[in-house]
Amino acid sequence: MAYVPLILAAVVVFWFVAAYNKLIRFRNQIKNAWHQIDVQLKRRYDLIPNLVEVVKDYMSYEQETLTKVIEARGAALSAKGAAAQAKAENALTESLKSLFAVFENYPDLKANRNVAALQEELTGTENKISFARQFYNDSVMTYNNAIQSIPSNFVASLFNFAPEAYFETAAESRAVPKADLR
């Protein structure tokens, strides 16, 4: 009978350590997911100046579009945290969409192999960013569920595990584009 309190205490300690370690694993998974996004974003940032350099001679009348792309890239490079980074990335994505839309006015530019290769690289990188964002958001969901669910929420509150922010897209980019077939 004297061992029952010791066994009960050992079970509680074991559970406490297991819950704490699980939360640490989830938090580290989020950090890893964020670094995966960061790797892809860096690749994207490296491709953009090359694209701008190649197209600027063709697009002498579109300097404003090129300037917006460069400014959006600079803002994205300096953004800190998931929410600020998401906002800056959404702005950069919109400026790149504008740039690609302007390509339609320049047949020689569309036919340029360097431009086509850079555009293909950027498209591939955008897809990788999308997958990395999905992994990050899945990791955030798992972590947030763990810190808000009983009984691990007791350990989370004791050690100040705070909810993480999702990497969200802008509302405008979720809107369904309108097709005008006239």
Side-chain angles (χ1 to χ4, degrees), residues 7-151:
I7 292 172
L8 203 52
V11 168
V12 168
V13 167
F14 177 75
W15 168 82
F16 186 85
V17 169
Y20 179 82
N21 287 339
K22 178 178 79 168
L23 294 175
I24 293 295
R25 267 194 322 277
F26 289 156
R27 188 167 60 187
N28 288 338
Q29 184 176 4
I30 290 171
K31 288 179 183 177
N32 176 53
W34 184 256
H35 290 297
Q36 296 304 317
I37 290 173
D38 199 42
V39 166
Q40 296 306 323
L41 293 178
K42 171 128 177 48
R43 178 171 170 66
R44 179 191 206 194
Y45 302 151
D46 290 346
L47 289 170
I48 290 171
N50 296 338
L51 181 66
V52 169
E53 189 62 34
V54 169
V55 302
K56 75 177 181 183
D57 292 335
Y58 288 92
M59 300 174 61
S60 57
Y61 300 108
E62 307 290 346
Q63 291 303 314
E64 182 181 341
T65 303
L66 295 174
T67 301
K68 285 181 181 177
V69 170
I70 294 299
E71 288 172 354
R73 177 186 178 265
L77 276 168
S78 63
K80 302 288 184 225
Q85 190 73 50
K87 184 177 179 182
E89 289 305 319
N90 290 330
L92 180 56
T93 298
E94 291 303 314
S95 69
L96 284 172
K97 284 180 187 176
S98 296
L99 178 64
F100 292 146
V102 169
F103 283 4
E104 299 302 317
N105 298 331
Y106 297 89
D108 291 341
L109 185 60
K110 285 178 22 178
N112 184 299
R113 287 185 188 183
N114 290 336
V115 172
L118 284 168
Q119 194 169 6
E120 189 174 320
E121 285 277 333
L122 266 172
T123 300
T125 301
E126 293 295 331
N127 289 335
K128 291 175 185 175
I129 291 169
S130 178
F131 291 125
R133 285 178 179 173
Q134 180 180 353
F135 178 64
Y136 174 82
N137 284 339
D138 289 345
S139 298
V140 167
M141 182 192 65
T142 301
Y143 170 78
N144 286 345
N145 284 342
I147 66 169
Q148 295 169 0
S149 299
I150 294 174

